[in-house]
Every structure is written in C-alpha cells, then in structure tokens.
Amino acid sequence: MEDNILPVIMCGGTGSRLWPLSRKSFPKQFLSLDDNKYSLLQNTQLRLQKLKNLDSPILICNEEHRFIVAEQMREIEITPFSILLEPFGRNTAPTITLAALKALELKENADPIILVLSSDHIINKTENFLKAIKAGVGYAKKDRLVTFGVIPRSPHTGYGYIKSENPFDLEKISGEKIVEFTEKPNAELAEKFILDKRFSWNSGIFMFKATTILNEFKKHAPLVLELCKESLSKSKFDLDFQRLNKEAFKKCPNISIDYSIMEKSNKGTVLPLDAGWSDIGSWESLWENSEKDNNGNVVQGKVVNLFSNNSFLSSNSRLLVGIGLQNIIAVETNDAILITKKSESQKVKDIVKKLKEIEFSEGEKHLKIFRPWGFYISIAQESTWQVKMIEVKPNGKLSLQMHHHRSEHWVIVKGRAKVELESKVEYLNENQSIYIPLGSKHRLTNPGKIPLVLIEVQSGSYVGEDDIVRYDDKYGR
C-alpha cells in the first residue's frame, strides 16, 4: 500500500515584483498569468491530482485573503482538510511547523508525509514533477528531509542554490546528501555554480514525515515549535477557517526553514527537479516562461504591436500600442501602468516600497476588491462621492449593515436583487433602482442563479470602506 501524501500549500506573500498586476490586496498566487483559466494557486493543487495517494490539502494564508483562497479551492472542487489563517507573515519555518502539527492532529495514529509547496510557482512539465515527488517518498519514509533542486538553466542571481555531495543522476532521480545552501549569489559566483554539476537552484519544495520535521525543530529551533504549538492550541475556528492565536504567533521568530533547519540538520537530501520550474520572481522571469511570437514578444490583452522584439506587452483594460520596443516590459491595468527595461524588472519591488512611502494606494490595492460574496470595482471617486460596479455571485449575501456618513443609490444592470431596507423587503430586476438613505439598515442578496450586477452611487461627507456597522453577516466578519 502506498503512503498518502498530504499537500501543504503556502499562500502567503504579496508578489510585489509583479506590480501592478499583483498587489497586496490580490497577489500573484491568485492570478492567472497566461491563457489558462486557473490561477497559480489552483494549478499548484491541480498538478497533484494524478497522484493516486493524495490527501486533501492544508492551506496556510493571510487573514486578508481567506475568502479568495476558499473560493478558488471551491472553483476546482477541492475541499481542504484545513485553512489556517496567519495574522501576519512569519516566513516559512513557523508556517511549516504549524502545518506539521496540524497534519498530526488531522491524521490520528498516523505519521503523514507532507509535501510543502509554494502557491506561486510555475511548473511546465507536470509528469517530470510527479516523478520527482514519487521518488522523494522513499527518502521521506527513511526520515530524510527531502528538498528538490532545480537543474539550472542559467547563472541566475535571483535564486538560492543547493550544493549536493555528488552530481545528480538524472536517469534515476536519486537523492544526494546536502552539503550547503547558498543565498542569492552575485553574478561571478553564479557563473561558477553553473559549471559545477553539484549545484542546483533551491525550489523551496519540501517533503518529510510530520514527526521527522518536528523532531528537527525540537532540536534546532525549539522556540519556533513551542510558540507554534501555543498559537495552534489557542486558535479559534471561524466558519471554514482556523485563526491562529495572534499573541503567540507574534512572538515567533521570522525565519525560513532553510536557516532554521536545513542548514543545521544532517538529514537533508536533495533530488533533481527538471520540470520547467520557475518562481516567477520578476516580469523578466514571466517573459522567459511565457509563449512568445516569432519576434520574441509576449503579448496579452488588447495590444497592437509593430517592430518590437523580446518584449512583454500586457493590457488588462485599455488599448496598449507598442512601436519599435526592444527588451521592454509594459503592463497596463485600469489604474496604473508599468514601463521598464526587462533587465531592470527585479527593481519593481523598490517602486512598490516607494509608492507605500508616499502613500499612493495603488502600491497595495487594486480598484477591483474581492469579497466573499463577489467583488466590486471603483469606477470613479472624489472626497464626497464614489461610483462602484458591484457583482454578487449566486446566493451571495452582503451583511446587514448601516452607514453613518453616506447614502447610496443602486441601479440593477444584470440579474435579480433582493433588498432589505429597514423592515421592508423588495425584489428588483434589470433597469430598476432603489435609494438607501443615510443611517438606514439594509442588506443586498442575490437570490438568482446568475451573477447580480449593479451600479452603486455613494454620496456623503465620508465614503471610506470603514464607514460600516454590521449587524449580521453570514461570513463572520
């Protein structure tokens, strides 16, 4: 009988290097970055589905993204074992400790093999990936800490490196003892690494028995283990989510599993991974991993392009025109445009920091904001008014709420709406409207089988999202 594999998918991170498409409010792991309809997170789970011995996943994410994670799993008909909510990021060591503790709790009287995956990686050769995972099981059963080293395609300075005791035997996909880890090297060192067949890129993918990794934490990072146990034992369940205890988690060291365990343990084993892997750490990286035209261009969306070469041109709303561009990244969204040399695209994260410093909301927030009931898009706004397009999914229901500083006018443009206004209930169809006075209790529901779309006009002395009093909410907010 084959040993079951329990996937652990880490859904944290803000994806700032892919700004303006990826932002804190909706980072890259939730985006579909090619013609595939699935997001990076969804593909992370879907590529495992051919494994016969696969358990339901444990997902770990930020509280802010909990409904996005749950909805994206529902869309691919996956019911997670657990969705753990971190109050803030604390790197991979606490995340993996929590996952191992939760795995033992879920699989009573068993010692599950957990497969730790990041939610934002691209893997183009699924069959090769699954072969490597299957090979890793044997080493994990022998109490080894398994990781996967990507066969380098270039002297990349954006990745960490793993040095194995011997060069890989790619025919057998056999494991090698780990000698050392190297963080992102400079160009000169990366050139040396690429010539030595013992070096591979650090994929950040791990596999081990739950007890094996927890014993290593007990030995090398006991404080992480202690605080994660406390955070989990004092956690609270909220609908389909488990909220970790904030006070205990706050004390957790902000440290990676590489630093805390893998560099100290003598149990490390690395297997070769030749599967078209990329962590999509920059726009240049996305260009490298995307399908190109005869001139080396990646063109997405409403784009007209002449005489350009080796460029990435992406439009998400408006027409984007490029003429004679060479090695350029140009990305358009409905509220921001990025133009940079491809070679400078790693510095996009510095721009995001700058936008935050000068308090430009575009650095972290999209105009399109996702909610558990659907989403809204801010169309236009001034200090005392705002216009939104709101889409509520079938059976979606907003909270029963009231606003102190604004009134609202709703115009239904698609579907059917149920409106509760004070003690009255009204049903509205397309081209009908209703006025919501300031200070009145109200709730919007989509009772139909198609999305409900409406235009909302807000007017008042203050139209911020925090002007809301909730009396009842099916999503526990």
Side-chain angles (χ1 to χ4, degrees):
M1 182 178 175
E2 288 187 285
D3 293 84
N4 276 23
I5 296 173
L6 197 164
V8 171
I9 304 179
M10 301 182 292
C11 307
T14 58
S16 59
R17 288 180 177 86
L18 289 187
W19 184 91
L21 205 56
S22 171
R23 307 186 197 181
K24 185 180 178 183
S25 68
F26 199 80
K28 67 176 178 177
Q29 57 266 32
F30 307 124
L31 296 169
S32 173
L33 296 177
D34 53 25
D35 292 332
N36 190 319
K37 66 178 180 178
Y38 298 115
S39 70
L40 293 177
L41 167 61
Q42 290 170 323
N43 280 327
T44 300
Q45 175 65 33
L46 288 172
R47 71 173 62 100
L48 302 174
Q49 294 304 104
K50 288 186 180 179
L51 292 172
K52 295 178 182 178
N53 52 330
L54 188 69
D55 277 326
S56 296
I58 294 173
L59 295 107
I60 305 174
C61 69
N62 187 282
E63 288 183 355
E64 182 182 354
H65 301 138
R66 64 193 186 279
F67 293 115
I68 303 172
V69 169
E71 176 63 15
Q72 292 205 349
M73 288 296 103
R74 186 199 63 78
E75 287 174 354
I76 59 172
E77 300 180 347
I78 296 295
T79 303
F81 262 145
S82 177
I83 302 179
L84 299 177
L85 304 182
E86 294 181 333
F88 25 73
R90 276 293 180 267
N91 218 312
T92 54
T95 298
I96 291 171
T97 305
L98 288 161
L101 291 168
K102 188 64 184 178
L104 287 177
E105 179 186 310
L106 291 166
K107 307 284 284 186
E108 279 188 71
N109 304 315
D111 188 3
I113 293 173
I114 59 177
L115 173 63
V116 180
L117 302 156
S118 292
S119 59
D120 57 356
H121 291 176
I122 282 180
I123 291 176
N124 290 317
K125 301 174 185 175
T126 299
E127 292 302 320
N128 286 10
F129 171 72
L130 295 180
K131 284 179 184 176
I133 297 304
K134 291 173 184 176
V137 171
Y139 293 93
K141 287 170 67 176
K142 295 176 183 176
D143 289 330
R144 302 299 296 177
L145 304 179
V146 179
T147 189
F148 298 86
V150 177
I151 308 304
R153 300 185 294 274
S154 64
H156 208 296
T157 58
Y159 298 144
Y161 285 73
I162 302 170
K163 183 180 180 182
S164 57
E165 194 169 51
N166 300 294
F168 289 127
D169 183 345
L170 297 181
E171 295 298 321
K172 297 179 181 178
I173 317 185
S174 56
E176 291 291 338
K177 184 179 178 181
I178 295 173
V179 175
E180 65 180 5
F181 286 81
T182 303
E183 277 301 299
K184 299 173 184 177
N186 58 34
E188 184 180 352
L189 200 54
E191 291 283 357
K192 290 181 180 177
F193 287 171
I194 199 79
L195 299 175
D196 189 334
K197 299 303 180 185
R198 294 173 297 172
F199 283 91
S200 57
W201 292 338
N202 186 356
S203 70
I205 301 171
F206 300 94
M207 177 185 281
F208 26 64
K209 289 193 297 188
T211 56
T212 302
I213 188 62
L214 291 176
N215 285 335
E216 291 301 291
F217 272 104
K218 187 175 181 180
K219 185 187 301 182
H220 300 295
L223 182 60
V224 172
L225 179 60
E226 177 189 334
L227 290 168
C228 284
K229 281 182 176 178
E230 183 182 348
S231 184
L232 199 60
S233 67
K234 294 180 179 178
S235 65
K236 294 181 179 179
F237 287 90
D238 176 5
L239 301 175
D240 296 328
F241 312 105
Q242 187 171 356
R243 293 178 179 272
L244 299 168
N245 179 268
K246 188 178 290 187
E247 293 307 310
F249 196 70
K250 187 193 298 182
K251 299 172 189 172
C252 252
N254 187 3
I255 189 170
S256 72
I257 190 172
D258 294 335
Y259 279 126
S260 59
I261 303 299
M262 299 302 292
E263 291 186 1
K264 298 173 183 176
S265 176
N266 60 3
K267 292 179 177 287
T269 294
V270 58
L271 273 72
L273 182 63
D274 187 13
W277 171 94
S278 174
D279 73 346
I280 309 299
S282 67
W283 284 109
E284 183 176 24
S285 176
L286 183 58
W287 172 84
E288 289 170 352
N289 286 275
S290 300
E291 190 173 335
K292 303 169 186 66
D293 64 19
N294 292 334
N295 295 312
N297 299 310
V298 176
V299 176
Q300 298 176 347
K302 195 175 182 180
V303 175
V304 176
N305 175 44
L306 292 174
F307 314 122
S308 297
N309 294 285
N310 301 318
S311 294
F312 188 101
L313 307 175
S314 175
S315 166
N316 289 269
S317 59
R318 293 161 290 183
L319 173 64
L320 175 64
V321 177
I323 304 174
L325 303 176
Q326 307 291 326
N327 299 303
I328 291 294
I329 303 289
V331 180
E332 180 273 347
T333 66
N334 53 12
D335 65 340
I337 297 171
L338 168 71
I339 301 171
T340 178
K341 292 179 182 177
K342 206 163 57 185
S343 60
E344 298 291 312
S345 64
Q346 284 279 1
K347 297 176 182 176
V348 169
K349 68 180 188 302
D350 299 324
I351 285 293
V352 175
K353 288 180 184 176
K354 181 68 175 176
L355 291 171
K356 187 175 180 180
E357 287 173 8
I358 59 180
E359 297 183 349
F360 275 26
S361 62
E362 291 89 345
E364 294 190 335
K365 291 183 179 180
H366 283 278
L367 290 182
K368 184 175 183 178
I369 301 295
F370 288 82
R371 292 289 185 256
W373 42 260
F375 66 86
Y376 68 82
I377 297 174
S378 180
I379 298 172
Q381 181 176 1
E382 290 292 345
S383 61
T384 60
W385 61 268
Q386 182 172 201
V387 180
K388 291 180 179 178
M389 188 278 280
I390 297 174
E391 182 170 309
V392 185
K393 60 191 177 185
N395 298 313
K397 178 187 288 188
L398 281 68
S399 59
L400 180 64
Q401 57 187 255
M402 179 270 285
H403 308 296
H404 286 294
H405 302 288
R406 70 173 186 256
S407 60
E408 296 173 347
H409 195 110
W410 298 343
V411 182
I412 310 303
V413 295
K414 180 182 176 182
R416 181 173 169 82
K418 176 185 175 183
V419 180
E420 300 169 54
L421 182 57
E422 294 296 351
S423 59
K424 295 181 180 179
V425 176
E426 204 171 328
Y427 288 87
L428 302 178
N429 297 311
E430 292 176 13
N431 297 319
Q432 293 184 314
S433 63
I434 191 169
Y435 176 67
I436 311 296
L438 182 150
S440 60
K441 284 186 183 180
H442 60 279
R443 181 180 352 228
L444 176 67
T445 301
N446 179 3
K449 294 182 178 180
I450 65 170
L452 163 65
V453 182
L454 63 143
I455 300 299
E456 176 182 86
V457 180
Q458 302 176 353
S459 179
S461 59
Y462 178 72
V463 292
E465 287 302 309
D466 53 348
D467 176 23
I468 183 169
V469 177
R470 287 193 174 94
Y471 298 97
D472 177 55
D473 182 52
K474 68 179 282 189
Y475 307 108
R477 291 171 296 172

